[in-house]
Amino acid sequence: AYYPTYKYDIPATQAQSLVSLGGAARKKLPYVYLGNIGFSDNSTLCEKCGNVLVWRRGYQVKVAGVEKGLCSKCGSPSPIKY
């Protein structure tokens, strides 16, 4: 998300705009998450079963549902190799 710093005085991007655009992107792309908006849940979910693969909140990140490159719940291949 853009926010003004130093000599820029253009208004910051509204969080609701990012949330709306993120929802639109998720309709076409399987792994979308928003950056620089700490209040939003930006977890990466398994495309097949919805299990949380990577949990994100602000700057905290935890690989939660991936084992040997597979979703720990349904066994689907994951793009996260952990």
Side-chain angles (χ1 to χ4, degrees):
Y2 165 78
Y3 59 91
T5 59
Y6 193 49
K7 293 183 179 182
Y8 291 110
D9 59 2
I10 299 169
T13 304
Q14 294 182 5
Q16 187 54 42
S17 296
L18 294 171
V19 170
S20 177
L21 291 168
R26 285 184 187 98
K27 291 179 182 177
K28 298 287 184 179
L29 301 169
Y31 304 104
V32 174
Y33 64 94
L34 307 175
N36 290 343
I37 55 172
F39 70 86
S40 181
D41 181 12
N42 289 315
S43 298
T44 298
L45 306 177
C46 174
E47 189 174 8
K48 193 168 194 175
C49 73
N51 183 39
V52 175
L53 301 176
V54 179
W55 176 87
R56 293 179 186 84
R57 182 66 51 103
Y59 291 109
Q60 298 176 18
V61 178
K62 180 181 177 185
V63 178
V66 180
E67 294 176 8
K68 298 181 182 177
L70 303 174
C71 172
S72 61
K73 185 174 179 182
C74 72
S76 292
S78 165
I80 291 102
K81 304 301 179 199
Y82 184 79

